[in-house]
């Protein structure tokens, strides 16, 4: 890696549509490369939020500039958050008067280059008061999309594109898988619903759940973050309440272990120990892989690796967490991770800075 | 595929193979286009065009890479939600990926392994995909199979062992004593009217004799023949004593591998090539069977009849369950012990209460736990040992339990 700046973003994995990922050349990147977005004038070390769909990536800088790269291209200003899916792109935009009230949520068709009219737009509603910090300032996302501000509804890549949520749930975070959803509430409890055939709901069966159902196996544990892959779920527990400090639970669901002749199913949350007793701080899932950031700034990845999305320099799939050595070698501290379906984006800083 | 006497057989053979495959595809890339609906995202459509461009541009390895992406992405769509809800267009996309991958694999000089790999890809497209370009995958598979067969069979397939096979395996399979059980009635070549009046309308089981016994399969099919016609084809196999067990699983393997691992050589586990539409995959086998005339008494079209193959060693078990359609079960090789309970006895067979298994009984028919399932002991049933040449009518929703007593091959016809 040629350059090291405070708060640099790196990417690895699938980039077959030319989305910003390292050099942007070729179909895939097997090891972390500095993120390069083909748009002059953007300080991309200042990324506020990043959301990757399969064929394109949406990056929003802290200054509010949205950049799309990949199968969708374009740029726009006055954006605060973006959510990218293959069928829908949602953008949270400032009102005419700048940041503050008057913000609008816009949904765009995938091909639209942010010009003309969006599919629909609605007022963004009351803002969530600030962001939650988990002590070590590790976050996966800057904003709560696909959860709409106000947490009374959420986005979906399939119609209906906007779905109501019961306010009594007090949703704080929402993660969507291919056929299921995970919700983290204000009390640190997790609810799940949707299809369950792969055990991804964590209720111990393969039955679907039509409505949010409390994950009883995690009751009593204060969960700090949830992440959903295509068919698996990951929850990160707040270590303050866990005796052994290993706060990671999950994945509940299949792991695409290359050697196994068939896929195993884990319908209850299983405690996952990271090597060397590391504590998880944040997690993000691609369609068939998982990436976890530890409190000490290391990145672990496992799952499907065919497109280099695990970042270990090869295309092997792995069913056990393995540290991405690249960051250790370069002495960078990983602070955030955000996975697209087949790729992984990581924010890392030189130690001593945040 | 003419061999022109050139002793560089592999290279010449593969040149001819590539020619034969290329001839199956349309001449221009514009013709290799799928008409896809809204559910296939624009980005994927772009990728398909790109793959076609690369193929016709002779850029084989890039085409392979793009096809791989198409396959991996559509694979995810195929695994989202219930199979019956998967949009057919995604299955077409998957088949498209398989087509290009299979053909591209055969462009470069390779050996029997490469061709076998290409055939496996075709079979995946046939198993999981949907028909495209007038069933092109069937044609490609036939070309590949023909190329593989003459003397190119992988070395591990043993010499035909049929005589030993027929006796050996029965030693640990118990033959039930039917004397105390009520027998399924038998009819010899009943008229359509008679069958309709006495069995179809009242929905009562019957064994039809003299109807299927002249089908070519009855004389032609043997382990050796199946090996020959289907050995290199990939099929889904159920591994485990029964599908209600925790250790039960499904995996894909070639018919040869299935025979090697689960039929010959004293297998450790039970493997069953069950409920597979083999005759859609290998049309040559379809020539050996016929659709029973009595199916015309139903409401559906002939094309809608689902024909499944059931092929396995002695001891395979299908737990007591019901199916929504009428069923004709034709026995071709070996014998099966079958028990039938009327839908009126549904309570007494204690179906599972989960949605996934609501059509399956919790009771192990030949070893029932009468403490948990007391009502089962008194439930009336019919039973039989179905022999080669016989056709069993299982009315819709009739509970049935099947255990193979010998190496067995059955063909079922689900109709309405």
């Amino acid at each position: 890696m040629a350059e090291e700046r405070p708060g640099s973003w790196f990417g690895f994995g699938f980039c077959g549509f030319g989305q910003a990922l390292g050099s942007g050349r070729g179909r895939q990147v097997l090891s972390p490369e500095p993120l390069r977005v083909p748009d002059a004038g953007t300080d991309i070390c200042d990324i506020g939020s990043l959301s990757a769909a399969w064929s394109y990536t949406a990056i929003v800088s802290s200054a509010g500039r949205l950049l799309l790269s990949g199968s969708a291209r374009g740029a726009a200003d006055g954006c605060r958050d973006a959510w990218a899916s293959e069928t829908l792109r949602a953008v949270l935009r400032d009102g005419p008067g700048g940041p503050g009230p008057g913000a609008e949520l816009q949904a765009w068709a995938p091909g639209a280059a942010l010009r003309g009219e969006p599919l629909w737009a609605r007022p963004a509603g009351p803002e969530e008061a600030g962001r939650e910090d988990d002590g070590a300032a590790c976050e996966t996302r800057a904003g709560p999309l696909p959860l709409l501000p106000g947490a009374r509804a959420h986005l979906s890549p399939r119609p209906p594109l906007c779905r109501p949520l019961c306010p009594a749930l007090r949703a704080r975070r929402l993660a969507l898988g291919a056929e299921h959803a995970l919700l983290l509430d204000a009390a640190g409890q997790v609810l799940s619903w949707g299809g369950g055939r792969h055990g991804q709901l964590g209720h111990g069966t393969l039955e679907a759940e039509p409505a949010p159902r409390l994950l009883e196996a995690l009751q009593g544990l204060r969960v700090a973050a949830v992440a959903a892959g295509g068919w698996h779920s990951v929850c990160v527990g707040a270590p303050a309440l866990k005796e052994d400090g290993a706060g990671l639970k999950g994945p509940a669901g299949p792991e695409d272990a290359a050697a196994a002749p068939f896929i195993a199913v884990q319908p209850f949350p299983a405690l996952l120990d990271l090597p060397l007793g590391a504590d998880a701080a944040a997690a993000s899932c691609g369609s068939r892989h998982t990436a976890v950031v530890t409190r000490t700034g290391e990145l672990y990845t496992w799952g499907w690796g065919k497109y280099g999305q695990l970042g270990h320099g090869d295309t092997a799939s792995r069913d056990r967490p393995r540290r991405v050595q690249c960051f250790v070698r370069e002495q960078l501290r990983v602070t955030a991770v955000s996975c697209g379906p087949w790729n992984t984006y990581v924010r890392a800083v030189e130690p001593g800075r945040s | 595929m003419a061999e022109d006497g050139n002793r560089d057989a592999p290279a010449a053979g593969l040149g001819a193979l590539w020619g034969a495959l290329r001839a199956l595809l349309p001449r221009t890339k514009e013709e290799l286009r799928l008409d896809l609906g809204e559910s296939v995202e624009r980005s994927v459509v772009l990728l398909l065009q790109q793959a076609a461009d690369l193929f016709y541009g002779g850029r084989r390895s890039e085409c392979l890479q793009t096809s791989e992406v198409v396959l991996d992405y559509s694979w995810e769509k195929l695994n989202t939600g219930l199979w019956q809800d998967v949009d057919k267009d995604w299955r077409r996309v998957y088949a498209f990926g398989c087509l290009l991958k299979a053909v591209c694999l055969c462009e470069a000089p390779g050996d029997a392994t490469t061709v076998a790999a290409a055939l496996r890809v075709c079979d995946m497209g046939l198993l999981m995909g949907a028909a495209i370009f007038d069933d092109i995958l069937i044609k490609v598979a036939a070309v590949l199979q023909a190329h593989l067969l003459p003397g190119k069979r992988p070395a591990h397939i043993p010499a035909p062992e049929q005589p030993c096979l027929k006796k050996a395996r029965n030693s640990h399979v118990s033959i039930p004593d039917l004397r105390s059980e009520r027998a399924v009635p038998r009819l010899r070549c009943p008229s359509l009217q008679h069958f309709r009046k006495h069995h179809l309308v009242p929905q009562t089981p019957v064994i039809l004799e003299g109807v299927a016994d002249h089908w070519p399969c009855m004389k032609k099919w043997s382990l050796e023949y199946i090996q020959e016609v289907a050995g290199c084809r990939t099929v889904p196999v159920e591994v485990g004593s029964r599908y209600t067990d925790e250790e039960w699983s499904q995996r894909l393997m070639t018919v040869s591998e299935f025979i090697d691992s689960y039929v010959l050589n004293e297998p450790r586990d039970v493997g069953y090539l069950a409920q597979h539409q083999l005759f859609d995959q290998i049309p040559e086998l379809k020539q050996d069977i016929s659709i029973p005339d009595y199916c015309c008494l139903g409401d559906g079209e002939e094309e809608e009849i689902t024909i499944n193959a059931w092929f396995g060693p002695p001891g395979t078990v299908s737990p007591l369950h019901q199916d929504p359609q009428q069923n004709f079960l034709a026995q071709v090789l070996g014998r099966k012990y079958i028990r039938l309970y009327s839908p009126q006895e549904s309570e007494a067979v204690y179906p599972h209460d989960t949605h996934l298994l609501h059509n399956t009984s919790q009771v192990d028919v030949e070893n029932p736990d009468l403490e948990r399932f007391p009502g089962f002991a008194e439930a009336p049933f019919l039973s039989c040992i179905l022999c080669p040449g016989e056709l069993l009518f299982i009315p819709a929703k009739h509970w049935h339990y099947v255990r193979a007593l010998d190496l067995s091959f059955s063909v079922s016809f689900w109709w309405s």
Side-chain angles (χ1 to χ4, degrees):
Chain A
M1 289 183 285
E3 300 162 278
E4 284 152 56
R5 286 176 294 193
S8 294
W9 279 83
F10 301 85
F12 43 96
F14 176 71
C15 51
F17 287 88
Q19 58 264 61
L21 201 64
S23 58
R25 257 192 296 281
R27 200 175 293 276
Q28 61 217 37
V29 170
L30 306 184
S31 290
E33 287 185 14
L35 202 61
R36 278 178 234 289
V37 179
D39 182 315
T42 301
D43 189 359
I44 57 165
C45 61
D46 197 15
I47 291 180
S49 94
L50 186 152
S51 178
W54 177 64
S55 69
Y56 73 96
T57 302
I59 294 171
V60 181
S61 75
S62 312
R65 188 161 178 79
L66 168 71
L67 289 160
L68 300 173
S69 65
S71 68
R73 285 173 204 254
D77 286 304
C79 299
R80 248 180 302 148
D81 196 7
W83 183 71
S85 83
E86 211 54 32
T87 52
L88 174 76
R89 185 176 336 118
V91 184
L92 190 62
R93 296 187 91 148
D94 296 327
E104 193 178 59
L105 183 70
Q106 297 177 336
W108 295 83
L114 297 171
R115 275 184 280 277
E117 289 303 307
L119 283 179
W120 54 255
R122 47 182 273 170
E127 260 290 84
E128 291 267 290
R131 307 177 197 164
E132 272 82 359
D133 261 306
D134 287 335
C138 289
E139 283 176 33
T140 311
R141 289 188 57 81
L145 286 178
L147 194 61
L148 264 55
R152 279 174 157 68
H154 71 89
L155 294 169
S156 166
R158 279 177 305 278
L161 302 176
C162 189
R163 301 179 183 205
L165 272 177
C166 179
L169 292 174
R170 296 187 303 153
R172 227 184 64 196
R173 286 288 186 276
L174 188 92
L176 296 178
E179 14 176 337
H180 76 295
L182 293 177
L183 186 151
L184 178 64
D185 74 8
Q189 298 192 116
V190 179
L191 299 98
S192 66
W193 68 100
R197 288 174 319 122
H198 298 269
Q200 64 266 58
L201 298 182
H203 301 301
T205 72
L206 302 181
E207 301 282 298
E209 292 287 337
R213 177 176 160 187
L214 187 67
L215 215 68
E216 282 159 17
L218 297 182
Q219 250 180 330
L221 173 76
R222 192 180 181 85
V223 173
V226 292
W231 297 268
H232 67 290
S233 306
V234 172
C235 302
V236 179
L241 294 177
K242 275 288 287 175
E243 318 155 69
D244 55 4
L248 182 71
K249 280 219 194 284
E255 288 297 347
D256 204 342
F262 53 90
I263 296 182
V265 167
Q266 173 72 49
F268 275 117
L271 183 63
L272 207 71
D273 284 321
L274 294 174
L276 310 172
D279 279 351
S284 182
C285 300
S287 69
R288 303 183 242 172
H289 74 289
T290 305
V292 166
V293 181
T294 67
R295 301 203 158 269
T296 49
E298 295 175 326
L299 182 73
Y300 286 83
T301 60
W302 69 99
W304 192 43
K306 185 170 173 182
Y307 290 90
Q309 60 266 58
L310 299 186
H312 300 301
D314 58 28
T315 57
S317 299
R318 290 174 169 80
D319 58 3
R320 266 186 276 274
R322 183 170 156 178
R323 188 169 64 181
V324 179
Q325 287 301 107
C326 192
F327 299 105
V328 178
R329 262 199 320 269
E330 303 292 327
Q331 293 179 318
L332 293 170
R333 196 162 69 85
V334 175
T335 59
V337 66
S338 182
C339 292
W342 294 3
N343 48 31
T344 309
Y345 294 88
V346 176
R347 181 178 181 269
V349 299
E350 282 166 26
R353 304 190 209 205
S354 71
Chain B
M1 257 175 300
E3 205 70 56
D4 53 23
N6 182 346
R7 263 3 250 150
D8 261 306
L14 262 141
L17 172 63
W18 169 249
L21 291 174
R22 187 64 191 77
L24 289 174
L25 286 156
R27 271 189 328 107
T28 64
K29 72 180 179 206
E30 285 71 31
E31 294 168 89
L32 194 76
R33 253 221 328 253
L34 289 178
D35 255 319
L36 297 167
E38 297 261 302
S39 49
V40 177
E41 297 121 5
R42 209 175 120 267
S43 47
V44 176
V45 175
L46 283 171
L47 215 56
L48 296 178
Q49 282 169 10
Q50 204 185 89
D53 287 344
L54 289 167
F55 180 79
Y56 285 90
R59 289 151 74 180
R60 174 188 159 266
S61 74
E62 288 171 80
C63 180
L64 266 175
Q65 281 188 335
T66 308
S67 303
E68 203 65 39
V69 175
V70 168
L71 287 173
D72 285 330
Y73 190 71
S74 55
W75 178 255
E76 294 190 346
K77 297 298 183 188
L78 263 48
N79 278 278
T80 301
L82 296 175
W83 177 249
Q84 67 217 41
D85 296 334
V86 171
D87 197 313
K88 206 164 182 188
D89 277 343
W90 282 116
R91 294 175 57 198
R92 287 197 189 98
V93 170
Y94 183 77
F96 186 92
C98 289
L99 173 66
L100 286 185
K101 179 173 178 179
V103 177
C104 281
L105 281 176
C106 294
E107 187 193 358
D111 52 10
T113 322
T114 317
V115 182
L119 184 56
R120 184 167 203 277
V121 171
C122 271
D123 278 332
M124 288 304 295
L126 287 169
L127 288 172
M128 307 290 293
I132 53 170
F133 307 125
D134 196 26
D135 276 321
I136 195 174
L137 281 176
I138 300 222
K139 297 171 191 159
V140 172
V143 167
L144 291 171
Q145 193 170 355
H147 190 88
L148 266 180
L149 284 179
K152 288 188 173 67
R153 201 181 296 168
H156 74 273
I157 292 187
E161 260 189 46
Q162 215 176 312
C164 311
L165 237 207
K166 271 194 176 146
K167 61 173 161 80
R169 308 284 162 251
N170 295 351
S171 50
H172 56 276
V173 170
S174 69
I175 314 293
D177 180 353
L178 299 195
R179 283 171 300 181
S180 59
E181 301 181 358
R182 277 180 61 215
V184 178
R186 292 164 174 268
L187 286 175
R188 182 153 197 91
C189 296
S191 70
L192 292 176
Q193 312 310 355
H194 184 101
F195 171 75
R196 178 202 273 148
K197 179 175 175 187
H198 290 96
H199 294 282
L200 181 57
V201 167
Q203 290 281 279
T204 57
V206 62
I207 293 176
L208 303 177
E209 296 170 344
V211 172
D213 54 353
H214 291 310
W215 292 357
C217 60
M218 301 301 171
K219 283 215 175 72
K220 274 172 90 177
W221 289 6
S222 63
L223 204 60
E224 188 190 21
Y225 177 79
I226 290 161
Q227 186 92 275
E228 232 178 80
V229 174
C232 50
R233 303 302 297 271
T234 299
V235 292
V237 171
E238 302 181 356
V239 180
S241 328
R242 52 203 75 203
Y243 68 78
T244 40
D245 280 353
E246 257 187 41
E247 302 81 37
W248 183 87
S249 67
Q250 288 177 295
R251 56 191 88 157
L252 296 166
M253 62 188 75
T254 63
V255 171
S256 289
E257 285 163 359
F258 168 67
I259 292 173
D260 268 356
S261 308
Y262 297 101
V263 177
L264 301 171
N265 308 319
E266 306 207 1
R268 231 185 2 245
D269 298 313
V270 176
Y272 196 10
L273 206 183
Q275 198 174 324
H276 176 53
Q277 293 175 262
L278 190 66
F279 308 97
D280 286 344
Q281 189 185 6
I282 309 175
E284 188 181 340
L285 282 175
K286 199 164 183 180
Q287 316 276 2
D288 296 337
I289 59 172
S290 302
I291 298 191
D293 291 335
Y294 306 92
C295 294
C296 76
L297 296 171
D299 305 316
E301 300 291 327
E302 191 171 291
E303 305 85 61
E304 290 164 1
I305 298 178
T306 305
I307 308 176
N308 277 313
W310 307 77
F311 174 45
T316 63
V317 168
S318 291
L320 189 64
H321 70 285
Q322 59 177 189
D323 297 312
Q325 291 185 284
Q326 317 287 357
N327 183 358
F328 276 123
L329 184 66
Q331 194 61 17
V332 181
L333 288 178
R335 300 162 299 161
K336 277 188 160 150
Y337 172 62
I338 301 174
R339 242 199 240 189
L340 299 160
Y341 290 80
S342 152
Q344 293 171 331
E345 302 304 321
S346 292
E347 250 187 68
V349 304
Y350 302 87
H352 289 264
D353 56 13
T354 63
H355 176 77
L356 211 57
L357 290 173
H358 72 277
N359 67 341
T360 304
S361 160
Q362 297 179 68
V363 186
D364 182 356
V365 166
E366 290 184 276
N367 187 22
D369 182 344
L370 294 175
E371 274 183 36
R372 288 178 64 201
F373 313 117
F376 185 74
E378 299 308 310
F381 63 87
L382 298 173
S383 69
C384 65
I385 292 181
L386 196 67
C387 297
E390 297 177 347
L391 195 67
L392 170 66
F393 170 61
I394 304 176
K397 296 289 203 175
H398 239 77
W399 297 90
H400 48 289
Y401 164 89
V402 183
R403 177 164 67 90
L405 305 177
D406 309 305
L407 168 72
S408 163
F409 202 128
S410 319
V411 180
S412 65
F413 300 84
W414 290 345
W415 54 288
S416 298

